[in-house]
Amino acid sequence: QVQLVESGGGSVQTGGSLRLSCVASGSTYGRSCVGWFRQAPGKEREGVASIYIRTGSTVHADSVKGRFTISQDNPKLTVYLQMNSLKPEDTAMYLCAAGWYRGGGDCGLNPTEYTDWGQGTRVTVSS
């Protein structure tokens, strides 16, 4: 089982930046996909970005392209989400998750593809 711990959330104004971190521990063998997701109150969980650990290939949701960037630091077993030009609609609980690679060159943004989840870190963007 993989343990995931997120950090870096907080409150910022529109246009601000935050960097979220997701540190993995435990049995990470085989979990080659790490994704960032977010969930706002009353809304479904939404995939934000994913990274295929073995190649570094990334996918970003259209809603965050050009503003958010997912990256990894393999020796530290850490995946980051750099968030720039934040908007009020980015306000949510942000969670990272690990899952199995399913082929195709990239990792998906569907929450059902991920098996291990962190507790989340809250991001609030005020106008």
Side-chain angles (χ1 to χ4, degrees), residues 99-111:
W100 302 88
Y101 174 65
R102 301 186 177 199
D106 295 314
C107 297
L109 295 179
N110 188 331

Side-chain angles (χ1 to χ4, degrees), residues 4-126:
L4 302 167
V5 179
E6 305 94 333
S7 63
S11 297
V12 297
Q13 292 188 329
T14 297
S17 297
L18 286 171
R19 189 177 80 156
L20 306 183
S21 299
C22 172
V23 180
S25 62
S27 180
T28 60
Y29 179 78
R31 269 70 160 191
S32 299
C33 288
V34 175
W36 279 101
F37 298 82
R38 65 186 181 186
Q39 189 162 20
K43 294 189 176 181
E44 292 187 353
R45 189 166 293 183
E46 172 191 17
V48 175
S50 67
I51 187 165
Y52 181 28
I53 298 298
R54 295 189 179 183
T55 64
S57 179
T58 63
V59 176
H60 294 80
D62 288 344
S63 58
V64 305
K65 276 182 183 176
R67 301 188 299 122
F68 292 11
T69 304
I70 190 171
S71 63
Q72 61 179 334
D73 184 335
N74 283 352
K76 295 183 179 179
L77 296 181
T78 302
V79 171
Y80 302 100
L81 184 68
Q82 178 66 45
M83 306 188 297
N84 299 328
S85 302
L86 283 160
K87 305 175 181 180
E89 51 263 44
D90 295 319
T91 294
M93 180 70 78
Y94 283 72
L95 307 100
C96 71
W100 302 88
Y101 174 65
R102 301 186 177 199
D106 295 314
C107 297
L109 295 179
N110 188 331
T112 63
E113 299 176 10
Y114 292 79
T115 57
D116 302 273
W117 292 82
Q119 294 298 309
T121 185
R122 188 169 300 279
V123 172
T124 303
V125 185
S126 57

